[in-house]
Amino acid sequence: MDFNHTEDRQMLADTLNRYLADRYPIERRNDAAFGPIGYSAGTWSDLAELGVIGALFDEASGGFGGQGFDLMVVFEALGRALVVEPFLGTLMAGRVLAGAGGRQDLLARVIAGEVLIAFAHEDARDADGLASVLTATPGDAGWSLTGAKGVVLHAGAADLLVVPAVLPGAAEPSLFLVPADAAGLTVRGYSLVDGGRAAEVGFDRVSVGPDALIAREGAALIAGATAAGLLALSAEALGAMETARAATVDYLQTRVQFGAPIGRFQALQHRMATVLLEIEQARSAVINAAAALEGPALARDRAASAAKYTVGRTGALVAEEAIQLHGGIGMTWELPLPHFAKRLIMIDQQLGDEDHHLARYARLGQGPVEGPGPDRP
Amino acid sequence: MDLSYTAEQTAFREQVRAFLKAELPADLAEAVRTGRHLQKADHERWHAVLNARGWLATHWPVAWGGPGWDVVQRSIFEDEAALAHAPRIVPFGVNMLGPVLIKYGSEAQKQYWLPRILDGSDWWSQGYSEPGAGSDLANVQTRAVREGDHYVVNGQKTWTTLGQWGTMIFCLVRTSTEGKRQEGISFLLIDMTSPGVEVRPIITLDGAHEVNEVFFTDVRVPVANRVGEENRGWTYAKYLLTYERTNIAGVGASVAAFERLATVARRLGMVNDPLFAARMARIEIDLENMKTTNLRVIAAVAGGGAPGAESSMLKIKGTEIRQEITGLLRRALGPYAQPYQPEALEPGWNGEPVGPPEGAAAASSYFNNRKLSIFGGSNEIQKNIISKAILGL
């Protein structure tokens, strides 16, 4: 039993934290996050140079990490500083590419920060909430893609999209690699509440060559990428919670009302103590998910859902309590804290919320069905 | 990071399991599993089995009869014992007084009392709380006035767990009213069979007799029964409390309780109710997280860190989880949590239960376990500790 990170991982964390402390103040972050492409290309290439993208992939894929605890270290640091650069899409799309095999050159350029890939996994929804299914039919010398994907992170800046699409008669989606400038592909970009950009991506008989199909029946690949994405978001939430907690404790120690720092009031102390211990539980959940990432799929997915559920619930608690305990100032754009609170809440909107993962966890835990039980007494 | 146990630790766990399989009496385990009330003889039986194996006083140094385990081994043992439905060791002599005597007792006190704790000659009770000194323990009012070789004790203690079987009680008593409240307290060992000691039962809301009031009227206690110096008892009292809070997360007990809940919920079809299934999933995730939080604290202690305010976190979260599980078991029974069947919780009862057999214990256990967030320093007190020690508020 050893709950310390390895020396290599600790060094990575230290390097990354130092860079972010020195070079990533909230003003610069917000300028990029709410700017034209939703992130800073300069920061992205700095971080690539520091090896942060490489830490997301194993050696066989051209990286030097890729294990659960590598993702934990990186994304916790990214969360602490509210990094908006496109790590999540790179992680998930890159994992699909790596798992599909045969794309070494492309992956090398992704890891170097030269090529940006996006993962267009979410089905677009119309005004009634109905999902559009992306289908792939055999076309002239390749495939023809029709349908739409929604809320694709950083799709507007991406060079390539990794896209699940359903083949005729297939039970599970296959995976395609599509250039972002393909004819018939439309990208309607927009800003996100917590900074960064995403897009609705339409496919109107987009023709791609036969080599665009990178994996037939790719559910297992998608599941693997999703588990990594859930862990990444959970670790990012953990980092953001730690920052929000520190900022709130600091505020409680300095803000004077009724002649005393408000942190002297027991009503506030107890709320903060609850925040603290729930964050510790969330850290344990992230550790569990990281430890399970390389393990059997069922245990991996249960631990990932447990972590995402936990940070969904705890993230909302931390965000809401942090704003409340800050009072009016907690409602302002000017203060860094509210941006962390926004990110925490928006993380719950990504890859399935608290309730989704609670239900998934319960379903995955039911195992072989033992037949219907008797009715409730 | 490595969440796995070493080969030695795994082998130790196997050894503990084998021991429990061979030596834990089946009737005791069944009584614990089904939430029946144990009698004094039941506790004494298990106490003797553990003592014979040398595994009773797990926190004591080897020189005084401890097994020489580290913090990880103790945690493995406690988890496995709970999972096997072993009775909880009555902690007052073994886990609380023992370490205090070893650290602060005179040589004569150690030589006399420690072997008697191990062989069960005395049934120890805890005399800390008073009606006006619960969370505010420094406010103890029970007076001990020196008369020659004796103290004369007058006052009242309360919430004395299993004190109805007690033969000895360790007490915080006031020996001075000068200066700071903490500086006038002494730590006395009092023979409960002395004239002037009266034990009165307190019946708890589940109808059970577990706790008591203890009254002292002109009780004469030899000065030789004072541990450490006069008026320095606060130091010893606080030291004891650090041992009260060991294994405070109670992970093994919660895992055993959750397994039991899952079995009942499956049998009664409650797992098909999506809201109930969600409540179960929620608590299972919390418990999985708790296991890791607990291991993190244990690993920190094993690595030389001090189990400080972290034990307050474990106390709060561990007791909340345990209470939630007992709440879910009650819910699983629907209307059949209502019948009051105290006889079904007595040893040897062979009658026909009303409804599902878990019904008799479900509500009783739910109500009884409300105590978890109150005793050992209420969860609010633990939050005060966290605020001060960790958050710096």
Side-chain angles (χ1 to χ4, degrees):
Chain A
M1 229 191 309
D2 177 7
F3 288 92
N4 298 303
H5 286 299
T6 61
E7 214 170 296
D8 287 349
R9 289 192 183 116
Q10 198 51 57
M11 264 169 56
L12 173 68
D14 292 346
T15 308
L16 184 51
N17 284 325
R18 202 173 319 118
Y19 173 88
L20 295 171
D22 293 347
R23 308 282 298 279
Y24 207 83
I26 190 77
E27 300 79 16
R28 191 177 297 177
R29 181 266 176 195
N30 281 353
D31 283 349
F34 299 100
I37 61 165
Y39 70 98
S40 154
T43 302
W44 182 241
S45 74
D46 279 359
L47 291 171
E49 208 167 299
L50 281 180
V52 183
I53 307 176
L56 309 184
F57 299 97
D58 62 15
E59 285 179 28
S61 316
F64 61 87
Q67 305 264 301
F69 288 113
D70 297 308
L71 304 191
M72 179 178 173
V73 160
V74 168
F75 279 89
E76 189 182 340
L78 299 178
R80 273 178 200 275
L82 209 59
V83 170
V84 75
E85 275 62 31
F87 280 97
L88 183 68
T90 300
L91 169 73
M92 294 181 72
R95 290 230 154 191
V96 168
L97 283 179
R103 305 279 164 168
Q104 288 298 341
D105 294 352
L106 175 58
L107 267 174
R109 299 187 64 204
V110 167
I111 289 171
E114 297 162 11
V115 170
L116 187 65
I117 50 176
F119 189 40
H121 58 96
E122 193 86 44
D123 291 334
R125 289 176 186 276
D126 65 14
D128 295 323
L130 295 175
S132 164
V133 176
L134 184 68
T135 57
T137 49
D140 323 330
W143 299 91
S144 174
L145 304 176
T146 295
K149 293 289 179 180
V151 205
V152 182
L153 296 178
H154 294 288
D159 303 294
L160 293 155
L161 305 175
V162 171
V163 191
V166 179
L167 268 51
E172 56 182 72
S174 297
L175 288 152
F176 289 83
L177 182 63
V178 182
D181 57 1
L185 194 148
T186 52
V187 176
R188 180 183 162 208
Y190 45 81
S191 298
L192 297 173
V193 165
D194 54 341
R197 286 183 69 83
E200 300 299 288
V201 182
F203 297 78
D204 181 12
R205 284 166 294 165
V206 172
S207 280
V208 290
D211 61 342
L213 176 61
I214 54 174
R216 205 180 270 269
E217 311 266 301
L221 274 182
I222 295 173
T226 302
L230 291 171
L231 167 60
L233 279 172
S234 302
E236 183 191 345
L238 179 62
M241 287 190 243
E242 294 284 11
T243 303
R245 178 187 88 184
T248 308
V249 169
D250 199 40
Y251 187 75
L252 291 173
Q253 285 167 335
T254 49
R255 169 70 169 163
V256 173
Q257 290 280 268
F258 305 106
I262 57 174
R264 297 268 171 81
F265 300 124
Q266 195 182 50
L268 306 193
Q269 290 177 347
H270 283 196
R271 289 167 73 163
M272 210 54 219
T274 301
V275 164
L276 172 98
L277 66 95
E278 293 298 341
I279 293 176
E280 290 306 324
Q281 284 281 90
R283 178 171 294 281
S284 292
V286 173
I287 291 171
N288 289 347
L293 190 69
E294 284 85 42
L298 180 64
R300 175 198 70 192
D301 292 345
R302 273 201 115 203
S305 275
K308 188 62 169 50
Y309 156 77
T310 302
V311 302
R313 189 189 63 176
T314 309
L317 172 81
V318 173
E320 291 164 7
E321 288 292 65
I323 291 174
Q324 177 70 22
L325 296 177
H326 271 82
I329 192 85
M331 298 294 297
T332 63
W333 188 278
E334 184 193 349
L335 202 69
L337 174 95
H339 296 284
F340 284 86
K342 280 197 290 187
R343 180 70 195 124
L344 282 171
I345 297 298
M346 289 301 113
I347 283 176
D348 195 42
Q349 310 294 128
Q350 291 183 265
L351 299 181
D353 71 358
E354 173 188 337
D355 288 347
H356 171 85
H357 284 288
L358 186 67
R360 182 173 183 245
Y361 180 88
R363 195 169 63 246
L364 292 173
Q366 273 170 355
V369 179
E370 295 169 7
D375 285 335
R376 182 173 186 167
Chain B
M1 240 184 249
D2 177 11
L3 277 59
S4 49
Y5 288 91
T6 64
E8 289 78 23
Q9 287 162 347
T10 304
F12 175 75
R13 187 185 293 279
E14 292 307 321
Q15 199 189 348
V16 171
R17 280 188 186 162
F19 161 76
L20 290 164
K21 195 158 182 254
E23 301 286 342
L24 173 59
D27 64 315
L28 281 187
E30 182 59 12
V32 171
R33 195 181 70 80
T34 53
R36 292 194 180 192
H37 295 147
L38 298 183
Q39 300 305 302
K40 186 178 190 183
D42 297 325
H43 289 287
E44 287 174 336
R45 200 148 45 108
W46 181 231
H47 186 106
V49 171
L50 288 172
N51 187 40
R53 183 67 180 79
W55 286 1
L56 177 64
T58 58
H59 290 83
W60 294 15
V62 175
W64 290 107
W69 291 344
D70 64 20
V71 62
V72 178
Q73 287 174 304
R74 287 203 293 268
S75 140
I76 289 172
F77 176 76
E78 282 155 2
D79 282 354
E80 290 299 326
L83 290 172
H85 307 293
R88 179 170 159 267
I89 301 166
V90 178
F92 309 111
V94 175
N95 293 344
M96 297 183 187
L97 179 61
V100 171
L101 287 176
I102 289 166
K103 188 167 168 75
Y104 296 108
S106 68
E107 197 55 31
Q109 286 171 336
K110 289 186 226 190
Q111 294 289 354
Y112 182 76
W113 294 112
L114 292 177
R116 293 175 62 88
I117 291 175
L118 290 180
D119 69 19
S121 300
D122 305 304
W123 182 284
W124 282 95
S125 295
Q126 181 178 31
Y128 268 30
S129 294
E130 297 182 8
S135 297
D136 183 13
L137 207 49
N139 195 39
V140 292
Q141 301 295 326
T142 295
R143 291 294 308 272
V145 177
R146 182 87 181 251
E147 281 184 13
D149 289 342
H150 284 80
Y151 287 103
V152 177
V153 178
N154 281 283
Q156 179 197 349
K157 294 292 175 181
T158 192
W159 309 125
T160 313
T161 302
L162 301 182
Q164 68 268 37
W165 300 329
T167 58
M168 290 295 298
I169 183 167
F170 55 85
C171 287
L172 297 184
V173 294
R174 185 153 298 284
T175 37
S176 166
T177 50
E178 310 281 306
K180 280 179 67 183
R181 296 185 305 162
Q182 285 83 348
E183 284 161 11
I185 293 170
S186 297
F187 193 104
L188 279 192
L189 312 179
I190 303 179
D191 185 339
M192 291 179 77
T193 63
S194 314
V197 178
E198 188 196 351
V199 178
R200 291 185 204 158
I202 298 173
I203 304 303
T204 43
L205 77 176
D206 53 337
H209 176 199
E210 189 175 70
V211 287
N212 303 271
E213 296 175 292
V214 181
F215 294 86
F216 301 95
T217 311
D218 294 330
V219 176
R220 294 179 66 79
V221 180
V223 169
N225 279 16
R226 189 190 69 221
V227 176
E229 297 172 45
E230 191 172 88
N231 296 334
R232 295 294 305 279
W234 187 247
T235 306
Y236 322 136
K238 281 198 304 184
Y239 182 72
L240 181 144
L241 287 177
T242 65
Y243 281 91
E244 182 171 15
R245 291 182 194 141
T246 57
N247 188 31
I248 201 84
V251 165
S254 282
V255 171
F258 188 82
E259 280 177 3
R260 178 159 170 69
L261 166 67
T263 306
V264 173
R266 265 198 299 274
R267 208 184 77 234
L268 301 180
M270 289 307 292
V271 288
N272 302 322
D273 176 329
L275 281 181
F276 194 86
R279 281 182 186 272
M280 279 189 58
R282 228 174 240 144
I283 198 66
E284 188 181 3
I285 291 172
D286 243 2
L287 181 51
E288 286 298 318
N289 296 345
M290 182 74 213
K291 280 185 196 168
T292 300
T293 306
N294 188 44
L295 288 180
R296 285 168 51 208
V297 173
I298 287 171
V301 174
E310 287 76 14
S311 68
S312 295
M313 281 181 350
L314 298 180
K315 203 263 170 174
I316 294 169
K317 203 67 208 178
T319 54
E320 284 177 355
I321 286 173
R322 188 77 186 285
Q323 290 181 329
E324 187 67 21
I325 294 171
T326 62
L328 282 183
L329 188 58
R330 161 178 69 72
R331 286 172 192 277
L333 286 154
Y336 280 96
Q338 295 176 99
Y340 182 55
Q341 309 168 72
E343 66 284 356
L345 299 180
E346 293 309 315
W349 186 74
N350 285 318
E352 178 80 10
V354 178
E358 295 80 13
S364 146
S365 155
Y366 164 81
F367 285 115
N368 184 273
N369 278 313
R370 295 291 98 200
K371 71 187 175 192
L372 297 178
S373 48
I374 300 170
F375 70 24
S378 72
N379 286 13
E380 285 73 22
I381 292 295
Q382 307 301 331
K383 287 184 182 179
N384 290 352
I385 293 171
I386 290 173
S387 302
K388 197 170 163 192
I390 305 183
L391 294 170
L393 294 176

